[in-house]
Amino acid sequence: MFTPEGPTLRELAVQAFSSTMRGYDLLAPKFDLTPYRTPDRVLEAVADAVRPLGPFDRGLDVCCGTGAGVGVLRGLCRERVTGVDFSAGMLDAARSAHLGSAEGPAVDWVRADALALPFTRTFDLALSFGAFGHFLPAERPRLFGQVYEALRPGGRFVFPVGAPPAVGSRAYWSLLGFDAAMRVRNALWRPPFVMYYRTFPLAGVVDDLVRTGFTVRLLPLDVFGRRPDGSPRVRLVAASRE
Ligand SMILES: C[S@@+](CC[C@H](N)C(=O)[O-])C[C@H]1O[C@@H](n2cnc3c(N)ncnc32)[C@H](O)[C@@H]1O
């Protein structure tokens, strides 16, 4: 999972005892060497599923980090692409990573909290990868409301959601253990580092999107296969602002 060039255990521990924002500022220079950066396979599957929903002019990557989703948007949008994140360190790393790449439209990097986005009816495509664990369930309506406001009428908000691991599987116990450890950490230590794996259930997410005003479609990302019951392992949530 981690390479020798990636963050050391000590660096990860220091990050874990910082705030979410400061933790990412510290991790930023080595973030792309960690498994937390969304893998290209996921980015490509999402790009392939979203392309037929276009064309798109202006795109927004919410919680862009080092710009994994910005790369997707540059392949899908014709005019301009924006990456927004609250970590100045991650935005610096994103700027360097995309510097010199002439592929696709120009990119703006904006430092802002996703819970207070500085955009109104600006984009026709918004996407997000790997960041929803940083929002408590009670913050979801506000987050979705901010994205809704940032989209033009007819705009789409898309993101992949994986099916939860089977109850009792190794992945099930490791995610449960991680979330339990974070709850203990956050009960004992300030500032909190908000990161939970099991707080983004598809049904609750769809309910919150619909309550925000989105119309929601779920598209299977078949390249990730199916579970034994035939349901997709990964779905694309495609929410439209009418
Ligand atoms: C795991 S990284 C994912 C980065 C990138 N989207 C990817 O898939 O590789 C999560 C990112 O969310 C950002 N983030 C977390 N909470 C945020 C918030 N409230 N507003 C803006 N950015 C936030 C962090 O700074 C970090 O860059």
Side-chain angles (χ1 to χ4, degrees):
M1 294 269 277
F2 287 95
T3 60
E5 297 79 34
T8 62
L9 205 57
R10 190 176 173 285
E11 286 171 330
L12 286 173
V14 172
Q15 285 141 22
F17 283 95
S18 312
S19 68
T20 317
M21 191 195 298
R22 176 87 185 121
Y24 276 106
D25 282 345
L26 294 170
L27 185 58
K30 294 185 177 177
F31 180 79
D32 283 351
L33 301 169
T34 72
Y36 307 129
R37 193 240 187 219
T38 297
D40 288 344
R41 190 165 169 245
V42 176
L43 302 174
E44 282 157 20
V46 167
D48 289 345
V50 173
R51 195 167 292 110
L53 308 178
F56 304 104
D57 289 328
R58 298 183 81 118
L60 175 68
D61 182 4
V62 180
C63 300
C64 63
T66 52
V70 163
V72 172
L73 290 172
R74 292 183 85 184
L76 293 174
C77 297
R78 299 183 291 203
E79 280 180 12
R80 214 162 178 92
V81 167
T82 300
V84 66
D85 201 284
F86 70 3
S87 159
M90 293 295 268
L91 289 171
D92 283 347
R95 257 184 226 105
S96 317
H98 284 261
L99 208 68
S101 157
E103 241 173 73
V107 184
D108 301 307
W109 303 103
V110 175
R111 185 168 180 221
D113 192 326
L115 295 173
L117 290 174
F119 310 112
T120 307
R121 296 187 171 214
T122 308
F123 303 98
D124 40 26
L125 176 62
L127 49 67
S128 192
F129 292 98
F132 294 124
H134 297 305
F135 298 89
L136 298 171
E139 293 174 319
R140 260 197 331 250
R142 179 148 162 221
L143 174 65
F144 292 166
Q146 291 294 298
V147 177
Y148 187 91
E149 203 47 47
L151 286 170
R152 297 169 176 162
R156 313 255 189 178
F157 178 31
V158 301
F159 51 87
V161 175
V167 176
S169 64
R170 187 197 275 215
Y172 171 86
W173 289 115
S174 71
L175 298 190
L176 193 73
F178 179 92
D179 282 10
M182 285 309 273
R183 284 189 199 289
V184 172
R185 180 253 182 245
N186 286 332
L188 299 176
W189 196 270
R190 287 284 173 271
F193 188 99
V194 177
M195 172 62 220
Y196 298 105
Y197 281 106
R198 301 174 74 252
T199 50
F200 203 71
L202 185 60
V205 166
V206 170
D207 279 355
D208 285 344
L209 286 166
V210 169
R211 253 182 244 124
T212 304
F214 284 107
T215 302
V216 180
R217 277 171 69 195
L218 299 177
L219 308 172
L221 295 182
D222 275 324
V223 39
F224 298 103
R226 300 256 164 183
R227 303 201 314 165
D229 67 2
S231 61
R233 279 191 202 287
V234 185
R235 290 181 169 93
L236 183 80
V237 174
S240 314
R241 174 180 174 156
E242 301 304 333

